[in-house]
Amino acid sequence: MATKLLALTCIRKERFSERYPLVRKHLTRSRGGGGAGDGSSSETLAFEIEEEISRAIFQVLGMTCSACAGSVEKAIKRLSGIHEAVIDALNNRAQILFYPNLVDVETIRETIEDAGFEASLIENEANERSRQVCRIRINGMTCTSCSSTIERVLQSVNGVQRAHVALAIEEAEIHYDPRLLSYDRLLEEIENAGFEAVLISTGEDVSKIDLKIDGEFTDESMEIIERSLEALPGVQSVEISHGTDKISVLYRPDVTGPRNFIQVIESIVFGHSGHIKATIFSEGGVGRESQKQGEVKQYYKSFLWSLVFTVPVFLTAMVFMYIPGIKDLLMFKVINMLTVGEIIRWVLATPVQFVIGWRFYTGAYKALRRGSGNMDVLIALGTNAAYFYSLYTVLRAATFPDFKGVDFFETSAMLISFIILGKYLEVLAKGKTSQAIAKLMNLAPDTAILLSLDDEGNATGEEEIDGRLIQKNDVIKIVPGANVASDGYVIWGQSHVNESMITGEARPVAKRKGDTVIGGTLNENGVLHVKVTRVGSESALAQIVRLVESAQLAKAPVQKLADRISKFFVPLVIFLSFSTWLSWFLAGKLHWYPESWIPSSMDSFELALQFGISVMVIACPCALGLATPTAVMVGTGVGASQGVLIKGGQALEKAHKVSCIVFDKTGTLTMGKPVVVKTKLLKNMVLREFYELVAATEVNSEHPLAKAIVEYGKKFRDDEENPAWPEARDFVSVTGNGVKAIVKGREIMVGNKSLMTSHGVIIPVEAEELLVDAEDLAQTGILVSINSELIGVLSVSDPLKPSAREAISILKSMNIKSIMVTGDNWGTANSIAGEVGIDSVIAEAKPEQKAEKVKELQAAGHVVAMVGDGINDSPALVAADVGMAIGAGTDIAIEAADIVLMKSNLEDVITAIDLSRKTFSRIRLNYVWALGYNLMGIPIAAGVLFPWTRFRLPPWIAGAAMAASSVSVVCCSLLLKNYKRPKKLDHLEIREIQVERV
């Protein structure tokens, strides 16, 4: 929000108030005008208006120099409502801050184009504020064609900004404008397309919980409960399913929680009936895992029933016909040429075709209704051709005394049975690809011990509660061997906590008063009292789960190949199938091949029909659709279990090509916990007073060096744990140089030589020598001036991470170039680079210079990864092909990165690249198999080998091969679960543990 001061001369104030309803304060009023007899007056009013500033970023093409940027800036600033315009000719970007009630983005874009340049909107903050993201589970998708169709349907809806549909996890992530449509409309569109849609999350900053009411209740009492819950602070909405015992509550977890709801319900109803209780509603089959289990059971049950009917059909057609006695019984003619065997096969194949196989009819109908084709269409056409031709032969045999024909009931029945078996195995295997998420979600304990505290903070009692009832600011007790129930910080006790399940860090971490703990981690040997800070969707565990789920939803660019193929795959297969049948049929009728080629039990039409059906059912679009997402799912899951969070297939695809890595220094190559090791004052001054001024200035900065100075300054104020520093006015952070502020009426500047020289501060020879000495020792020299006079020099040391040198060495062996870019001075940078073995160094670099260096490397043909941890690394993380953020870094850096290294260890950079290479090689293998299968299988099914080998592929075997191809692709991806880090890293981790122990 910004405050804008408007001075207006107006006669009618009400018009002003109507136009500007956000008037906050009337500041001045002066009356002017003519004399007493003037008859009119005017008022000059000054109001402080609170208006919202929006930001828009445009790509501007055609700028060649600073003069171009200047002309664009001048044209934009002529518009009313422009707050600020920054034009970057180097990157062809324009960032505009504007008042949306005075000017809109389209007007700005047109102004840029009128100035002679091409402009396109990249980002509009106003749109960001009007964007909501919801996730929907979609049941009924069978192949890539289904997911592509749903994407097209959603993207055609007005208000939908982006839609991703993931076939492998059967979910959709939709970005939409809530002002134009609701998520109910999205659910309706998906269901109209022929699929079942279940809302997972709305993307609003709220949590949802379902409560179950047990006991005697009436509609009147439920209305009282609804009104009472709606009156609670933090409750957004209450929904009661009338006629049921379920209440759904949407609420803000930082304000209230489910325990409050239960207390309110039970206290309200207590006066009417003492039998009513409220509990958390069991989610039952709503969760993804429960839904998957239900799908597995459904396919298993269908397969068993299909066997009951299909096995007798197979035996009567293929086995019993060769057993004397039984053969005579089956060949007994009932009516004309209709035999007992044909009747048995007809009766048994019919329920398989129309009851067990009904799912293929419904799937094919929905696909054809929306003008697309999928696997269900191919199966329905193939099995129908076999079944109805067989029905035709049965009817002809019953009505004509001399008709001779062969039925294919076993073909349709066995085809459906094998395909259902394949789908069962596929669903079973796909369920295992998402086990990483299931394991993460199961880390949260079912129960927690809630402590009651007195006014002095002493525990007065404890109660075991459902883990879902924990609320913010609760104090919970964590006993040895129990999982931490929620995020928080320790207020009493000490212990060691195993965080390997969240961060991948194998060593237990010591915890004492003031230390933070993560929900889902394991308390090992001591009792802890923890004050809860984050619950539900805000918790670290929930955020990691959400990040992994988003990664699995995001499509890798290589997936586009499968999407393109899926558009014409089914029509092409139908055309090939019909062409195969027609070619063999005409060849038979025209006697282009000898009659000896035709099996004794068939004629030329039936032989052609079998070839056509085989082509129809052997083609498999599913294997292509599953090739990429299943490998990405397993890869991201394995990465999460090892503390490497990969944000989707695009990050995986880029990471495997990385040829150059740019490292930040502080917090990346070094420990990120610098300490002041030396202070030298150049003027007479009390050290306590000196650090009071310096710490008061630096306390406003987030830089690690600033935090080190503040911590050191506390040593001179040891009487206070958190001292109140003097107020720092007019604080300014000069990015890459330092900070300055007014403290106690004196101008304090803390930073490097560039900061001092730019402000006219003279640096004496003694200070220069101190800086050189610090740089020689790989320390950072920091200058302090008071009122433009240099007063002192601080030396700050940030030790190297134990694994840094070995990690850089391993990267060199992988043919990956390493570069260090830092805002620190050249001497310190060169010293650190020499210790770790990096040859190329860029020092005294500002954030934008780091990003420029990344772009230079990209222009030279490198695929660049950037590893950093701070806010100043964010531009470079975004500019890089792959941004890797150290997990202990800032939220902004983590948000900007493509990969998050939870353990903050450099060896995880190697793990991320190695895992991406292994995953992408698996994707390639999947595509080779899926494409190779179709390219080889279709010609064989069409009878290409038949003239020379007399080998033909019966339709039921073709169907089994089709089912096996999908299963094989998923199983190939599942082999990634056996991924092991490079052995060099295991030795490196052992050495790191030994160093830390020493």
Side-chain angles (χ1 to χ4, degrees):
M1 305 295 286
T3 300
K4 181 182 176 186
L5 193 65
L6 299 180
L8 303 177
T9 300
C10 57
I11 296 176
R12 301 196 58 185
K13 294 176 290 184
E14 61 271 18
R15 291 181 185 171
F16 177 79
S17 301
E18 287 171 8
R19 184 173 178 184
Y20 297 99
L22 298 176
V23 174
R24 293 201 308 173
K25 187 167 49 175
H26 173 233
L27 295 177
T28 62
R29 173 177 294 173
S30 62
R31 185 174 298 273
D38 195 280
S40 68
S41 67
S42 68
E43 293 180 337
T44 300
L45 304 175
F47 292 94
E48 190 178 357
I49 311 297
E50 187 179 292
E51 289 193 87
E52 201 167 335
I53 289 182
S54 290
R55 181 181 64 134
I57 298 177
F58 294 86
Q59 181 180 36
V60 183
L61 301 179
M63 294 190 295
T64 57
C65 60
S66 58
C68 299
S71 63
V72 172
E73 183 178 354
K74 189 181 294 183
I76 293 171
K77 286 185 174 178
R78 287 198 191 105
L79 295 171
S80 60
I82 299 296
H83 179 74
E84 186 181 352
V86 179
I87 314 300
D88 181 0
L90 180 66
N91 298 306
N92 297 319
R93 293 285 191 276
Q95 178 176 280
I96 317 297
L97 301 180
F98 63 98
Y99 298 97
N101 64 324
L102 298 177
V103 66
D104 57 25
V105 291
E106 185 59 26
T107 303
I108 298 171
R109 189 189 66 78
E110 289 175 356
T111 301
I112 297 172
E113 295 196 337
D114 289 342
F117 302 93
E118 185 180 339
S120 58
L121 183 66
I122 297 175
E123 179 185 333
N124 185 359
E125 195 179 74
N127 287 344
E128 292 294 326
R129 282 192 290 269
S130 64
R131 176 184 294 176
Q132 204 156 291
V133 183
C134 75
R135 288 177 50 237
I136 297 173
R137 182 178 298 111
I138 302 174
N139 299 326
M141 293 191 295
T142 57
C143 62
T144 317
S145 176
C146 299
S147 58
S148 299
T149 299
I150 296 171
E151 279 188 0
R152 288 196 297 271
V153 168
L154 291 172
Q155 287 169 351
S156 66
V157 178
N158 183 35
V160 171
Q161 296 159 351
R162 190 163 74 246
H164 294 300
V165 180
L167 172 66
I169 59 175
E170 297 180 338
E171 288 184 11
E173 183 179 82
I174 304 149
H175 298 244
Y176 67 99
D177 188 342
R179 300 173 301 181
L180 300 178
L181 76 161
S182 67
Y183 56 80
D184 290 326
R185 168 80 186 282
L186 299 173
L187 295 172
E188 183 183 338
E189 290 292 335
I190 294 171
E191 289 178 351
N192 287 342
F195 300 91
E196 181 186 350
V198 181
L199 183 68
I200 299 174
S201 64
T202 63
E204 299 170 350
D205 188 22
V206 294
S207 293
K208 179 182 179 182
I209 194 165
D210 296 327
L211 301 175
K212 182 181 181 182
I213 307 299
D214 294 318
E216 300 175 5
F217 56 88
T218 62
D219 289 343
E220 183 182 354
S221 62
M222 292 295 274
E223 287 179 10
I224 294 173
I225 291 172
E226 183 178 6
R227 288 198 298 269
S228 301
L229 291 174
E230 287 175 342
L232 288 175
V235 172
Q236 302 288 311
S237 67
V238 179
E239 182 182 337
I240 295 180
S241 302
H242 293 286
T244 68
D245 54 359
K246 180 180 175 183
I247 297 178
S248 299
V249 184
L250 280 171
Y251 65 97
R252 294 182 62 88
D254 56 334
V255 179
T256 186
R259 210 163 62 249
N260 294 344
F261 308 151
I262 291 174
Q263 290 172 356
V264 166
I265 292 171
E266 294 181 351
S267 63
I268 290 174
V269 181
F270 183 77
H272 300 278
S273 171
H275 302 291
I276 292 184
K277 286 284 184 183
T279 55
I280 293 180
F281 197 90
S282 174
E283 293 189 358
V286 176
R288 179 202 287 176
E289 291 306 311
S290 300
Q291 190 266 338
K292 284 287 183 189
Q293 290 299 320
E295 193 176 8
V296 168
K297 290 179 181 177
Q298 186 180 13
Y299 274 115
Y300 181 69
K301 184 178 178 182
S302 296
F303 176 65
L304 289 181
W305 275 110
S306 69
L307 286 183
V308 169
F309 295 100
T310 301
V311 170
V313 173
F314 172 77
L315 292 175
T316 58
M318 302 289 188
V319 179
F320 293 159
M321 298 301 293
Y322 301 97
I323 301 176
I326 300 180
K327 176 184 177 181
D328 297 334
L329 177 62
L330 293 176
M331 295 300 294
F332 179 77
K333 296 178 177 58
V334 179
I335 304 174
N336 291 328
M337 301 298 291
L338 179 64
T339 65
V340 171
E342 288 175 327
I343 295 174
I344 292 173
R345 288 192 291 274
W346 178 25
V347 171
L348 292 175
T350 300
V352 176
Q353 182 72 32
F354 297 108
V355 179
I356 298 170
W358 185 250
R359 67 176 72 243
F360 303 118
Y361 284 98
T362 56
Y365 167 73
K366 291 172 183 178
L368 294 173
R369 190 183 67 177
R370 58 179 181 266
S372 64
N374 62 2
M375 188 192 74
D376 291 332
V377 173
L378 298 179
I379 295 170
L381 285 174
T383 56
N384 276 338
Y387 179 85
F388 284 106
Y389 175 76
S390 302
L391 181 60
Y392 163 78
T393 61
V394 166
L395 295 177
R396 285 291 301 271
T399 54
F400 290 89
D402 56 350
F403 176 78
K404 290 184 179 181
V406 179
D407 65 88
F408 297 138
F409 285 121
E410 80 284 352
T411 295
S412 64
M414 291 175 69
L415 188 55
I416 289 174
S417 298
F418 273 112
I419 289 170
I420 288 177
L421 173 62
K423 292 298 290 182
Y424 165 71
L425 295 174
E426 181 185 321
V427 171
L428 204 62
K430 280 164 63 178
K432 292 181 180 179
T433 63
S434 58
Q435 280 182 349
I437 290 180
K439 288 179 180 178
L440 285 171
M441 296 176 74
N442 290 334
L443 289 175
D446 294 330
T447 61
I449 300 174
L450 179 68
L451 295 178
S452 303
L453 304 179
D454 58 21
D455 295 337
E456 297 179 357
N458 299 317
T460 58
E462 59 183 55
E463 175 191 2
E464 187 173 18
I465 62 170
D466 191 309
R468 293 169 293 180
L469 293 177
I470 297 174
Q471 297 178 189
K472 192 174 179 180
N473 296 322
D474 281 345
V475 177
I476 55 177
K477 178 180 177 181
I478 315 296
V479 298
N483 281 18
V484 178
S486 192
D487 293 0
Y489 62 91
V490 178
I491 61 172
W492 179 89
Q494 59 183 15
S495 180
H496 284 78
V497 176
N498 184 347
E499 298 181 344
S500 61
M501 60 288 294
I502 300 294
T503 66
E505 177 60 65
R507 299 180 294 279
V509 182
K511 300 292 181 182
R512 55 181 60 85
K513 185 178 180 181
D515 290 339
T516 59
V517 292
I518 305 172
T521 54
L522 180 65
N523 182 30
E524 291 201 339
N525 53 13
V527 177
L528 297 174
H529 291 179
V530 174
K531 187 164 187 177
V532 176
T533 55
R534 296 188 297 184
V535 295
S537 60
E538 295 180 339
S539 68
L541 183 61
Q543 289 175 16
I544 291 172
V545 169
R546 192 157 57 246
L547 190 147
V548 175
E549 287 178 332
S550 297
Q552 295 179 349
L553 273 166
K555 285 185 177 179
V558 71
Q559 175 70 16
K560 294 176 183 177
L561 173 65
D563 292 342
R564 284 195 295 268
I565 293 174
S566 69
K567 291 179 182 179
F568 58 82
F569 188 88
V570 172
L572 178 63
V573 169
I574 294 172
F575 171 76
L576 290 175
S577 175
F578 178 77
S579 300
T580 300
W581 169 78
L582 185 62
S583 299
W584 279 102
F585 176 68
L586 291 177
K589 286 295 182 183
L590 299 174
H591 304 289
W592 287 352
Y593 60 82
E595 290 188 7
S596 60
W597 287 14
I598 304 174
S600 58
S601 59
M602 298 184 187
D603 59 22
S604 61
F605 175 84
E606 292 165 345
L607 178 65
L609 183 63
Q610 282 228 344
F611 281 128
I613 294 173
S614 293
V615 170
M616 183 87 69
V617 298
I618 199 171
C620 183
C622 295
L624 278 171
L626 293 170
T628 298
T630 53
V632 170
M633 283 180 70
V634 179
T636 52
V638 168
S641 67
Q642 302 216 13
V644 178
L645 300 182
I646 303 170
K647 298 182 181 179
Q650 188 166 359
L652 267 174
E653 184 166 341
K654 287 181 178 178
H656 93 281
K657 300 176 183 177
V658 167
S659 60
C660 177
I661 299 182
V662 177
F663 289 95
D664 176 46
K665 179 181 74 69
T666 306
T668 304
L669 293 172
T670 62
M671 297 297 291
K673 296 179 180 178
V675 291
V676 178
V677 294
K678 184 179 179 181
T679 307
K680 180 66 176 177
L681 297 181
L682 305 179
K683 302 290 182 181
N684 289 327
M685 189 175 187
V686 178
L687 207 56
R688 175 189 172 96
E689 182 187 359
F690 173 79
Y691 269 104
E692 184 178 53
L693 296 173
V694 174
T697 305
E698 292 280 33
V699 76
N700 298 293
S701 174
E702 288 295 318
H703 197 281
L705 296 179
K707 292 180 179 179
I709 294 171
V710 173
E711 284 299 314
Y712 190 75
K714 289 180 181 179
K715 294 182 179 180
F716 300 94
R717 301 282 296 271
D718 52 5
D719 55 322
E720 299 178 41
E721 186 175 336
N722 292 304
W725 302 106
E727 181 186 2
R729 294 184 294 105
D730 301 332
F731 174 83
V732 176
S733 175
V734 183
T735 306
N737 288 336
V739 297
K740 63 177 184 175
I742 304 296
V743 180
K744 290 187 173 182
R746 289 183 276 187
E747 184 186 51
I748 313 296
M749 286 194 294
V750 186
N752 57 20
K753 286 171 63 176
S754 298
L755 179 68
M756 299 301 161
T757 53
S758 64
H759 287 77
V761 178
I762 298 172
I763 302 174
V765 176
E766 184 182 359
E768 294 276 9
E769 291 174 351
L770 290 169
L771 289 176
V772 172
D773 292 342
E775 291 170 6
D776 291 341
L777 296 171
Q779 297 171 357
T780 301
I782 298 175
L783 303 175
V784 179
S785 74
I786 300 177
N787 291 333
S788 299
E789 183 181 10
L790 199 68
I791 299 297
V793 180
L794 311 181
S795 294
V796 180
S797 175
D798 187 7
L800 274 177
K801 290 182 176 176
S803 60
R805 184 173 183 83
E806 288 82 356
I808 298 300
S809 176
I810 294 172
L811 287 171
K812 283 183 179 179
S813 69
M814 297 169 68
N815 295 321
I816 296 175
K817 181 180 180 181
S818 297
I819 296 174
M820 187 176 80
V821 179
T822 177
D824 212 337
N825 60 75
W826 278 99
T828 304
N830 284 324
S831 180
I832 293 289
E835 286 190 50
V836 298
I838 292 178
D839 300 322
S840 181
V841 180
I842 304 294
E844 298 178 6
K846 296 179 181 179
E848 61 271 19
Q849 292 172 327
K850 292 182 181 182
E852 287 170 12
K853 181 61 181 176
V854 167
K855 290 172 184 174
E856 286 176 17
L857 291 166
Q858 290 169 330
H862 288 289
V863 177
V864 183
M866 170 70 193
V867 185
D869 71 325
I871 293 174
N872 60 340
D873 298 323
S874 299
L877 287 169
V878 173
D881 296 292
V882 181
M884 297 187 189
I886 299 294
T890 63
D891 291 340
I892 294 175
I894 291 172
E895 183 67 27
D898 302 300
I899 297 174
V900 181
L901 311 177
M902 295 292 290
K903 285 187 286 188
S904 302
N905 290 339
L906 285 179
E907 54 261 38
D908 283 344
V909 174
I910 300 164
T911 300
I913 294 173
D914 185 64
L915 177 60
S916 69
R917 289 179 175 180
K918 294 285 197 309
T919 303
F920 210 75
S921 67
R922 192 67 58 180
I923 291 173
R924 285 199 193 99
L925 184 60
N926 284 346
Y927 269 118
V928 168
W929 169 249
L931 287 170
Y933 162 81
N934 282 291
L935 291 175
M936 292 179 62
I938 291 175
I940 291 173
V944 170
L945 301 178
F946 187 74
W948 298 279
T949 65
R950 304 294 180 274
F951 174 78
R952 61 186 177 87
L953 209 60
W956 63 272
I957 294 180
M962 184 269 284
S965 68
S966 296
V967 177
S968 63
V969 164
V970 178
C971 290
C972 184
S973 296
L974 280 173
L975 292 176
L976 272 173
K977 294 180 75 175
N978 301 321
Y979 170 79
K980 301 293 182 185
R981 297 194 313 166
K983 290 183 178 179
K984 294 178 182 178
L985 294 185
D986 295 328
H987 299 308
L988 186 59
E989 188 168 4
I990 292 170
R991 287 186 60 187
E992 188 174 348
I993 294 171
Q994 291 170 345
V995 170
E996 288 188 4
R997 284 177 178 172
V998 171

